[in-house]
Amino acid sequence: MHNEALSALAQRVKEAAQRIYPEVLAVRRHLHMHPELSYQEFRTTAFIKEYLAGLGIEAEPQLLETGVVAILRGQGAPESGERRTVALRADIDALPLQEENSHDFCSTEAGCMHACGHDMHTAMLLGAASVLSGMKEELKGDVLLVFQPAEEKAPGGAKPMIEAGLLNKYKPSAIFAQHCFSSVRSGSIAMCKGGFMAAADELYITVHGQGGHASAPHKTRDPILASAHIITALQHLVSRVAPPHEPAVVSIASINGGHATNIIPGKVTMQGTMRTMNEELRSLLHERFERTVMQVAEAFGVEAEVEIRFGYPVLYNDPDMTDLAWDAAKEFLGDEKVHKSEPLMTAEDFAYYLRECPGSFWQLGTGFGDSDPGNLLHSPTFNPDEQALETGVGMMSYLALRYLAG
Ligand code: NI
């Protein structure tokens, strides 16, 4: 499409996103008041289906017990090439956290809160479905709407949805999603090409020794001293095994053993996390992690057990799709509202889609700026700037229209 046609299209989407903002805001607040934990999103699923039905969009058969998949069929045809399907994804689950905000739409569910902005994500995808429904003639292909359950709980909802045939059945040629970030100012977005989020694996170590009187350590096999050396030795994974230019994290975040001043315990347990940005380094560090723990334990005359539980893989933003989203964002929001993001060591199960289908995942700014440093994801006072709903609805809609135009 020519520049003039693109800016006219962007203008139409902007106006539509602005018009629908009050409705999207009401949807977000409704979802915020009624959060549901991973895989328990039954009311949320029903709500999404009902909203889509109001747009004349019937949900596809369930892939999992919760979550919704639906197709919005465009009426246009691309200027050249095949007609394609683009997938837009929102996650819909909340966190086990007691809300501590004071606004009048706080969670009504004790110990459950949308503290990761998935209520915003869901509301924005519904808003985009509404905007695009009103522009079917300009929509030169189909939009696969993916409302995914259980992003917050490993192994996450993305993997089982893919295993249930999501990508094989509907064959999207690209997939996009966005996530709220208070570190980015509302009205802006930030993107990162290539490795954007880390593979996150859970580490579990148990050290078995021989307990005894702490005044006679020579008659024990002390798992505490061995554990201290294991933790220290593990620091070489990042400083000496990982190449200096490759981000990696190995953190032991929990250690438990012993209960008295004069008793050496028989056992110590530790837990931690490993974060990597590249699959090769990930397997290398897994191997060296296990070897380090086992051999240090052996040197100290104790036995160790190691378990590494695989979490989400590296989230890799396809360079071409990220360029496309970047250009679309600049056209839609203006150059000054589109920023580059550094890779993050957090994890996200959108990574699974990106292993099968090219696409991109970006940060939607929901922050109020520097005056608001405590407004963090997963905190009981998480409070995104709701004005960002308009930006997110518009960006999703415009990107889908532009991608399908070919
Ligand atoms: Ni999240």
Side-chain angles (χ1 to χ4, degrees), residues 22-338:
E23 187 173 317
V24 177
L25 181 69
V27 167
R28 185 263 159 164
R29 290 186 174 186
H30 172 83
L31 295 171
H32 193 82
M33 289 174 77
H34 305 286
E36 294 172 296
L37 294 175
S38 307
Y39 287 126
Q40 295 168 30
E41 312 93 335
F42 292 100
R43 282 177 319 184
T44 307
T45 296
F47 179 89
I48 294 166
K49 283 186 174 175
E50 202 183 306
Y51 188 94
L52 292 175
L55 300 173
I57 303 169
E58 201 189 326
E60 292 291 297
Q62 290 293 128
L63 288 176
L64 306 176
E65 276 191 41
T66 53
V68 180
V69 175
I71 305 171
L72 173 58
R73 296 197 189 280
Q75 289 167 356
E79 286 162 26
S80 61
E82 270 178 38
R83 211 165 177 284
R84 298 180 293 180
T85 298
V86 62
L88 303 178
R89 173 271 207 175
D91 40 11
I92 66 172
D93 56 327
L95 284 162
L97 195 66
Q98 180 64 41
E99 178 153 18
E100 289 175 17
N101 282 317
S102 54
H103 46 58
D104 58 7
F105 53 93
C106 280
S107 169
T108 58
E109 299 292 325
C112 186
M113 176 190 175
H114 271 295
C116 199
H118 300 187
D119 50 346
M120 300 273 288
H121 305 165
T122 305
M124 288 187 287
L125 188 53
L126 289 172
S130 178
V131 167
L132 293 172
S133 291
M135 299 180 73
K136 278 188 185 158
E137 274 155 34
E138 287 75 18
L139 196 57
K140 297 171 178 174
D142 297 333
V143 181
L144 183 68
L145 304 162
V146 180
F147 296 89
Q148 177 215 303
E151 193 284 323
E152 297 288 2
K153 195 170 175 188
K159 192 162 177 263
M161 281 190 106
I162 294 166
E163 286 166 356
L166 176 74
L167 302 175
N168 288 338
K169 186 171 175 190
Y170 300 104
K171 298 193 172 25
S173 51
I175 185 162
F176 298 100
Q178 55 191 352
H179 201 294
C180 295
F181 273 86
S182 301
S183 51
V184 180
R185 203 172 187 126
S186 178
S188 301
I189 64 173
M191 291 185 175
C192 178
K193 209 192 278 194
F196 175 35
M197 287 190 179
D201 302 316
E202 295 181 349
L203 308 171
Y204 297 88
I205 304 170
T206 308
V207 179
H208 300 277
Q210 169 71 56
H213 205 296
S215 68
H218 58 296
K219 291 185 177 163
T220 71
R221 290 184 293 117
D222 182 359
I224 292 209
L225 181 63
S227 296
H229 280 268
I230 287 170
I231 293 171
T232 306
L234 287 173
Q235 306 311 307
H236 91 290
L237 296 179
V238 172
S239 71
R240 292 296 179 271
V241 179
H245 57 273
E246 285 276 358
V249 174
V250 176
S251 291
I252 298 300
S254 156
I255 174 163
N256 285 290
H259 62 283
T261 59
N262 56 0
I263 303 168
I264 288 174
K267 185 172 98 173
V268 170
T269 56
M270 294 180 269
Q271 297 180 23
T273 187
M274 183 186 288
R275 307 278 165 129
T276 45
M277 279 296 208
N278 132 0
E279 292 292 337
E280 224 171 287
L281 179 60
R282 185 186 194 187
S283 16
L284 174 67
L285 289 187
H286 281 193
E287 181 208 317
R288 297 291 291 268
F289 177 84
E290 178 158 6
R291 197 207 295 179
T292 302
V293 174
M294 298 315 261
Q295 295 191 353
V296 173
E298 198 189 341
F300 281 78
V302 297
E303 293 85 45
E305 286 169 59
V306 170
E307 189 191 347
I308 301 176
R309 286 187 207 158
F310 281 70
Y312 300 159
V314 175
L315 187 147
Y316 186 80
N317 277 335
D318 180 80
D320 291 343
M321 289 301 117
T322 308
D323 282 343
L324 180 106
W326 175 265
D327 291 345
K330 288 201 154 194
E331 289 157 15
F332 187 69
L333 299 170
D335 287 358
E336 72 286 0
K337 296 286 173 64
V338 186

